């Protein structure tokens, strides 16, 4: 299973075409980093770190984060695509920015409407369960899910999101069946997961670790071919035999 979710910063147009004089003055007004996902998720956290660093680099000029969630990022990304092409609207998007075009019948913008700037982060996903689930590792989760088809509900951050694609792939590879419960983003899915209304989730490790450390979620494994350098004692999903 793919090890990371890549976050890509995209901006509408650049000021390079406006001439050296204008480019040197940039930014000439507050810069908006638009995140097409709810507050509290990995994309939002990354955007707020980025906003602080950019503001300091630009001599204290204001850089603010705006969240506009919905439709697996489509609503917010359309706002990015329709913003004034002056370089003052920056979007921070995840892999769904690309997969939406393959999974949805219609997307109200083209990828070419935006200019890619840089990859900001590679986010490792983790497999977490509510502590009430009788599984302490991936093999035990698979065995329980096989013995109890559609008893477990897996929370995802939206239709076509990377966590949902991971959940579907995991079930297909392991011959398990779980109920798919999509939300508008990972942070909005957490309350039900913590309350036990849903029981399983694939999400960015950084987003779930506060709950794991508090004992409210159990981290079974991380994605990718290698263990996380920050969690060397946590196995990968591949180590449980799920490629």
């Amino acid at each position: 299973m793919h090890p990371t979710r890549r976050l890509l910063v995209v901006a509408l147009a650049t000021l390079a075409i406006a001439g050296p004089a204008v480019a040197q003055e940039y930014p000439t007004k507050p810069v908006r980093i638009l995140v097409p996902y709810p507050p509290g998720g990995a994309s939002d956290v990354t955007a707020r770190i980025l906003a602080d660093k950019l503001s300091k680099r630009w001599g204290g000029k204001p850089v603010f984060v705006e969240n506009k969630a919905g439709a697996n990022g489509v609503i917010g990304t359309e706002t990015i695509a329709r913003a004034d092409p002056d370089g003052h609207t920056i979007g921070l998007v995840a892999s769904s920015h690309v997969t939406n075009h393959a999974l949805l019948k219609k997307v109200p913008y083209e990828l070419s409407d935006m200019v890619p700037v840089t990859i900001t982060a590679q986010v490792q996903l983790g497999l977490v369960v509510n502590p009430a689930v009788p599984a302490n590792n991936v093999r035990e989760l698979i065995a329980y899910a096989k013995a109890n088809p559609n008893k477990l509900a897996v929370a995802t951050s939206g239709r076509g999101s990377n966590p949902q694609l991971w959940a579907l792939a995991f079930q297909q590879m392991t011959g398990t069946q779980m109920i798919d419960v999509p939300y508008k983003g990972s942070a909005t899915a957490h309350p039900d997961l913590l309350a036990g209304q849903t029981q399983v989730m694939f999400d960015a490790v950084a987003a779930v670790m506060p709950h794991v450390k508090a004992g409210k979620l159990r981290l079974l494994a991380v994605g990718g071919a290698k263990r996380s350098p920050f969690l060397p004692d946590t196995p990968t999903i591949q180590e449980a035999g799920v490629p």
Side-chain angles (χ1 to χ4, degrees):
M1 304 184 79
H2 197 278
T4 62
R5 176 173 59 186
R6 295 176 182 270
L7 302 178
L8 176 68
V9 173
V10 294
L12 253 178
T14 65
L15 291 181
I17 59 174
V22 176
Q24 289 174 1
E25 298 173 1
Y26 176 84
T28 59
K29 59 182 181 181
V31 173
R32 171 177 63 165
I33 300 181
L34 201 150
V35 180
Y37 315 103
S43 297
D44 177 67
V45 172
T46 303
R48 294 182 188 280
I49 294 172
L50 186 64
D52 179 65
K53 298 293 185 181
L54 288 176
S55 178
K56 291 177 180 177
R57 175 166 292 189
W58 291 332
K61 292 183 178 180
V63 181
F64 66 95
V65 175
E66 178 181 340
N67 298 87
K68 196 166 187 178
N72 198 32
V74 170
I75 294 174
T77 306
E78 183 180 12
T79 302
I80 300 166
R82 304 289 174 255
D84 291 336
D86 60 3
H88 288 79
T89 295
I90 299 173
L92 197 150
V93 298
S95 55
S96 56
H97 180 66
V98 176
T99 58
N100 280 336
H101 285 267
L103 297 173
L104 302 179
K105 290 183 178 180
K106 186 178 180 180
V107 178
Y109 53 84
E110 298 295 332
L111 294 178
S112 58
D113 292 337
M114 291 153 280
V115 178
V117 177
T118 188
I119 292 174
T120 62
Q122 294 185 356
V123 181
Q124 192 162 23
L125 295 185
L127 171 56
V128 293
V129 297
N130 182 281
V133 176
N136 293 301
N137 55 57
V138 175
R139 288 189 176 91
E140 290 180 359
L141 176 66
I142 294 171
Y144 181 80
K146 283 185 174 180
N148 299 274
N150 288 321
K151 183 174 182 179
L152 295 175
V154 55
T156 70
S157 55
R159 300 288 188 190
S161 64
N162 216 16
Q164 190 202 33
L165 297 180
W166 274 58
L168 292 172
F170 179 83
Q171 292 172 75
Q172 186 177 50
M173 292 177 180
T174 59
T176 55
Q177 292 180 314
M178 304 182 197
I179 300 172
D180 179 28
V181 185
Y183 292 81
K184 288 185 178 180
S186 67
T188 59
H190 289 173
D192 284 350
L193 183 64
L194 295 172
Q197 299 300 315
T198 57
Q199 295 80 38
V200 183
M201 188 173 186
F202 291 89
D203 198 8
V205 171
V208 298
M209 279 311 296
H211 303 308
V212 172
K213 290 179 179 179
K216 296 179 180 179
L217 292 177
R218 184 181 300 134
L219 178 64
L220 301 187
V222 296
K226 297 180 180 179
R227 296 189 179 194
S228 167
F230 305 105
L231 300 166
D233 295 328
T234 302
T236 66
I237 299 174
Q238 288 191 25
E239 289 178 57
V242 185

